[in-house]
Amino acid sequence: MVLDRRRLPSLGRGLLLAGLVIYLLLPIAAVLLYAFSTRWTSHLLPDGYTASHWLQALADPRLVAVMLRTLGLALLVTLLDILLIVPAIYWQWIYNPRIRPHLELTAAIPFVLPYVVIAFGILSLSGQFLPAVQGTVGLLALSHGVVAFPFFYWAVDNAMAAADVALLNEVAKTCGASPWRSLVQVILPNISVGIATGSMLVFAVSFNEFALVQILVGARYETVSLYSLDLLTGTNADFNKLAVITMFTFVVVFTLSALSVYLNRGQGQTRRLMIGSRSKA
Amino acid sequence: MPLPQGPQSIHYRLQQWLVNWLPALPMLMLAYGLLVAPVLALLVQSLQGQEGDFTLANWLGVLTSRSDRRAIVTSLMLGAVSATTALGVGSPIAWWVSRLMPAPRSIWLSMLNTASNFSGIGLAFGFVAILGNYGMITLAFRDLGLPFAPPAPNTFWGLVLAYNYTNIPLFILLTIPGMAMLRQDWWEAAQTCGATQIRFWRAIGGPILAPFLGAGWLLVFTWSMGLYGIPFALAGNGATRKVSLITLEIGDSLQASLSGQGEAAVLAVVLLMIAVISLLTYRWMLGRAAQWF
């Protein structure tokens, strides 16, 4: 008897796994059917099938604008996080370890605190001190940047620990490289998987996010989340169009998730026991 | 006259300080400005009256209001039920996935990763599409003439189902590293000492995994309590709403007006306190978990 096999009775295990797969696939399957159905009000499956929702969706200027806005915001937030966080973590590893407690404290906040509370806090603080920035896309982008920050931070921090950046940097310095040159030419190539993984998480957070968008800007910057809500619960709800958008979102999420699993394959020995724990470095 | 250049000069110390902190400064300013300061602002706001005076009226108002109390209790229940079902379903599957060979494990990890990232309004629609009035499962039940209906998405159990779509995969992904560290040698060593399987799990496997499972439960509990998009899309508005939650109450009062936000700030601080307690307990549990590795 080994630990690797037969821990669960095989019938029970089969049922449990099959149940989970069905549970995870059913909502997606239903959305997919909605995206291709003509009328679907009476039976398990739609009455008929059509591709017209897809053609209509692609020709709808509001929907195209919503998509572009959401993608643009997510890209901006991702770029922002890369530019702001990588130097901070790098400096913490090679020069000033006192940066770490600040990063760990602030990363813990969006990790456990609901986004709706953070959004409320930002709204109320900006109302008191900087009314001019209220409702701007800039504030939304920065807010997305900070709530997505822990995921990026942990991915890159792990990568830096695994690559032993302090040592790499020491070697680069001995060869006469400046800190900047050592970051660009030595460190970055060694932590690229961490940056890619972190970036994909940031992108996914911003792409799907609802609370901050709704509370901080609302209809002034309609994203996929806001438009989806309107199509789901608004006065002229349109499930078929919503299904097309949701399938699109799902494909984005699926691609990012599969890619990040692929990039991190073979990393059996995780340095952290669980996310958010202190690193074991 | 040249500036004094000794180690004591202000100029030198400022320069040193900049060298120490500059690369991290933009991020730290942003993080303190958009995460720490807003939280402090809410704390202050929850203790402030209309004229900015100190008062406990907001707190008393929330604690004596039936609807607020119901929202708090329902949120806690929803978090606890979601986390407990995620624990029950997730732990055996996490164990199984952690023992798989790399190739099939990647497939499972991709699927779980996708599900754990598929959240928000899109996921809410997925559940309307299966459990709503014209949802796939609802129609199937009706078609077959079954005498009962599946839970509607705007009920407590409907929300549990929608929440756990992301919660179960998250729980599995969170606990796999812990499971993977339970080593084959330990079972063999226990066996050599004459332990049975049950005894191994009671005396070794269980105690080692318990902090991991507890920490996973705690995170799912905390995250579920904080969800906003999914219940906002599913639970309905105003009089049609059947389930009231802390996050929905906060959202409502932000949509409504600026007055009366003191009580919303109290609800936000309640969520904050729960988050802080969870985080401290989580860290403590992982500290216990780490002692074996």
Side-chain angles (χ1 to χ4, degrees), chain A residues 37-52:
Chain A
S37 68
T38 50
R39 226 178 86 87
W40 190 9
T41 51
S42 45
H43 301 290
L44 174 65
L45 293 173
D47 301 346
Y49 298 91
T50 170
S52 65

Side-chain angles (χ1 to χ4, degrees), chain A residues 210-223:
Chain A
F210 172 72
L212 289 153
V213 180
Q214 191 209 30
I215 291 168
L216 292 180
V217 291
R220 273 163 293 187
Y221 193 81
E222 194 174 48
T223 62

Side-chain angles (χ1 to χ4, degrees), chain A residues 152-269:
Chain A
F152 189 87
Y153 169 59
W154 291 321
V156 174
D157 191 57
N158 267 347
M160 290 216 190
D164 204 345
V165 282
L167 184 70
L168 284 180
N169 189 66
E170 209 55 45
V171 173
K173 211 161 85 181
T174 318
C175 298
S178 67
W180 173 249
R181 202 159 156 210
S182 131
L183 173 65
V184 173
Q185 296 196 332
V186 181
I187 309 296
L188 286 186
N190 276 289
I191 57 164
S192 53
V193 168
I195 292 186
T197 310
S199 302
M200 290 189 285
L201 289 169
V202 172
F203 189 93
V205 167
S206 172
F207 195 90
N208 263 323
E209 209 285 324
F210 172 72
L212 289 153
V213 180
Q214 191 209 30
I215 291 168
L216 292 180
V217 291
R220 273 163 293 187
Y221 193 81
E222 194 174 48
T223 62
V224 166
S225 289
L226 292 178
Y227 189 35
S228 297
L229 183 73
D230 195 32
L231 289 174
L232 181 65
T233 62
T235 41
N236 37 6
D238 182 344
F239 281 14
N240 299 117
K241 190 185 270 179
L242 177 55
V244 172
I245 298 182
T246 306
M247 280 322 294
F248 183 80
T249 317
F250 181 77
V251 169
V252 170
V253 168
F254 175 78
T255 312
L256 292 174
S257 305
L259 211 58
S260 93
V261 169
Y262 173 77
L263 284 175
N264 289 284
R265 71 199 179 284
Q267 307 234 319
Q269 283 297 322

Side-chain angles (χ1 to χ4, degrees), chain B residues 157-245:
Chain B
W157 288 101
L159 286 180
V160 170
L161 279 175
Y163 280 21
N164 274 357
Y165 188 91
T166 33
N167 282 341
I168 292 175
L170 268 174
F171 184 90
I172 298 173
L173 292 172
L174 282 170
T175 45
I176 282 177
M179 303 248 177
M181 284 182 187
L182 199 61
R183 277 190 270 143
Q184 182 70 32
D185 329 355
W186 298 345
W187 161 238
E188 279 159 15
Q191 228 177 359
T192 315
C193 301
T196 60
Q197 244 187 80
I198 294 170
R199 191 152 167 158
F200 170 78
W201 281 108
R202 272 195 18 212
I204 302 167
I208 287 176
L209 287 185
F212 286 104
L213 300 178
W217 186 94
L218 207 59
L219 280 188
V220 170
F221 169 76
T222 316
W223 288 336
S224 298
M225 284 201 63
L227 285 179
Y228 176 63
I230 297 175
F232 190 90
L234 290 182
N237 273 311
T240 59
R241 184 180 289 166
K242 290 181 184 159
V243 183
S244 101
L245 300 172

Side-chain angles (χ1 to χ4, degrees), chain A residues 1 4 7 13 23-24 41 43 91 95-96 102 111 121 124 208 210 214 257 261 273-277, chain B residues 19-20 32 45 95-96 113 117 139 143 161 164-165 181 184 187 197 201 223 228 232 282-283 286:
Chain A
M1 178 71 223
D4 294 53
R7 292 308 319 166
R13 185 179 70 197
Y23 176 51
L24 295 184
T41 51
H43 301 290
W91 208 237
Y95 198 82
N96 184 6
H102 295 279
F111 179 59
S124 134
N208 263 323
F210 172 72
Q214 191 209 30
S257 305
V261 169
L273 295 173
M274 277 175 116
I275 52 168
S277 64
Chain B
V19 168
N20 280 332
Y32 277 96
Q45 206 181 340
W95 174 253
W96 181 74
N113 215 349
N117 281 323
L139 290 176
D143 225 13
L161 279 175
N164 274 357
Y165 188 91
M181 284 182 187
Q184 182 70 32
W187 161 238
Q197 244 187 80
W201 281 108
W223 288 336
Y228 176 63
F232 190 90
Y282 175 75
R283 285 273 162 90
L286 286 186

Side-chain angles (χ1 to χ4, degrees), chain B residues 91-129:
Chain B
S91 344
I93 296 177
W95 174 253
W96 181 74
V97 175
S98 76
R99 304 288 126 176
L100 282 177
M101 299 305 277
R105 197 174 59 195
S106 297
I107 296 175
W108 274 90
L109 288 182
S110 300
M111 190 175 85
L112 295 167
N113 215 349
T114 309
S116 71
N117 281 323
F118 183 53
S119 58
I121 313 298
L123 176 63
F125 172 54
F127 276 85
V128 171

